[in-house]
Amino acid sequence: DTGVSQDPRHKITKRGQNVTFRCDPISEHNRLYWYRQTLGQGPEFLTYFQNEAQLEKSRLLSDRFSAERPKGSFSTLEIQRTEQGDSAMYLCASSLGRKNMNTEAFFGQGTRLTVV
Amino acid sequence: QKEVEQDPGPLSVPEGAIVSLNCTYSNSAFQYFMWYRQYSRKGPELLMYTYSSGNKEDGRFTAQVDKSSKYISLFIRDSQPSDSATYLCAMSPSGSARQLTFGSGTQLTVLP
């Protein structure tokens, strides 16, 4: 499978615990994005990497959230001290971009987080 | 008021019907317009990607953009039960996915 891969697909955690999600983008894609989608809503942008550099963060990304993309390959999204409001689908997307050129983004299957 | 408004449905049609899905938006900076299909518990799948105003056709799907009215549409001809999904419109000023603004999605069911 050469699409965007996310792991785990589902995660149930107790409030206050830390969780970490992984995203493996399409291999030649240099841009990687994290989105959050709550029930009945469209995805909302969280953060964006170009290669290993985190270039943009949404104000939705509180200080309990941290994302990394070491070596510009896979990415991780960590949520510390989870709250019930963090329950959502976390989507990763990747695209190939160069200066003044953007291509469409392809999404992974998402990680569904439930905080109990 | 949200930047992108989309009727959530649900919309239910018989197999073979023509389906019309629509979004309105308020930000005149949007230049790139997309439609994604999302099956239950799956990630969004890109269906159509268009720039500025006009029509684009791909098989049974036609996307229309009317920037003067700030209105976009997706038409599905000869709808099939496999088209049953949530359809999300999305738009961006630059074409970059970091600036995508999504609608809330329209849930479509095509009845056999």
Side-chain angles (χ1 to χ4, degrees):
Chain A
D1 186 355
T2 57
V4 178
S5 177
Q6 291 188 246
D7 183 70
R9 293 292 308 278
H10 306 276
K11 178 70 176 179
I12 300 174
T13 190
K14 291 184 178 179
R15 190 176 52 179
Q17 297 293 306
N18 298 345
V19 293
T20 300
F21 311 139
R22 177 181 169 122
C23 171
D24 287 272
I26 294 170
S27 59
E28 64 269 26
H29 284 183
N30 58 336
R31 295 180 176 177
L32 186 146
Y33 315 84
W34 285 97
Y35 279 77
R36 181 175 70 186
Q37 185 177 23
T38 54
L39 199 62
Q41 300 299 316
E44 295 174 292
F45 170 74
L46 291 178
T47 191
Y48 154 65
F49 290 85
Q50 178 152 313
N51 300 311
E52 67 277 7
Q54 188 174 18
L55 296 186
E56 195 165 333
K57 290 193 281 189
S58 159
R59 61 179 181 275
L60 293 175
L61 209 68
S62 77
D63 56 6
R64 296 185 297 105
F65 288 69
S66 62
E68 295 182 340
R69 193 183 181 197
K71 302 178 184 178
S73 55
F74 70 93
S75 176
T76 58
L77 178 67
E78 181 184 16
I79 309 174
Q80 296 182 325
R81 306 180 304 281
T82 52
E83 301 173 356
Q84 286 188 322
D86 297 331
S87 296
M89 172 86 90
Y90 290 84
L91 293 161
C92 177
S94 70
S95 70
L96 181 63
R98 296 187 179 90
K99 187 177 180 182
N100 298 323
M101 187 196 85
N102 293 299
T103 64
E104 55 266 41
F106 295 88
F107 283 82
Q109 302 279 46
T111 294
R112 183 171 296 279
L113 173 67
T114 302
V115 182
V116 297
Chain B
Q1 185 183 2
K2 291 183 178 179
E3 276 192 299
V4 179
E5 297 281 356
Q6 185 173 7
D7 186 338
L11 180 62
S12 186
V13 301
E15 184 175 354
I18 296 174
V19 176
S20 172
L21 304 167
N22 311 294
C23 288
T24 58
Y25 63 95
S26 56
N27 187 346
S28 55
F30 290 142
Q31 298 284 342
Y32 294 82
F33 304 90
M34 285 135 272
W35 286 95
Y36 285 85
R37 177 174 62 196
Q38 187 172 27
Y39 292 113
S40 181
R41 301 185 182 277
K42 303 286 188 184
E45 171 194 8
L46 182 66
L47 283 177
M48 303 288 279
Y49 181 92
T50 56
Y51 171 71
S52 197
S53 286
N55 296 356
K56 185 174 183 179
E57 189 173 322
D58 184 1
R60 296 185 295 111
F61 298 90
T62 299
Q64 287 186 350
V65 175
D66 181 350
K67 289 183 66 182
S68 63
S69 302
K70 295 189 176 67
Y71 187 88
I72 72 169
S73 302
L74 178 71
F75 297 95
I76 307 174
R77 291 184 300 280
D78 187 26
S79 56
Q80 303 295 311
S82 58
D83 294 328
S84 299
T86 296
Y87 289 80
L88 297 155
C89 63
M91 40 200 85
S92 164
S94 66
S96 171
R98 76 184 193 275
Q99 295 179 310
L100 277 177
T101 301
F102 282 84
S104 56
T106 298
Q107 187 179 346
L108 171 68
T109 301
V110 180
L111 301 169

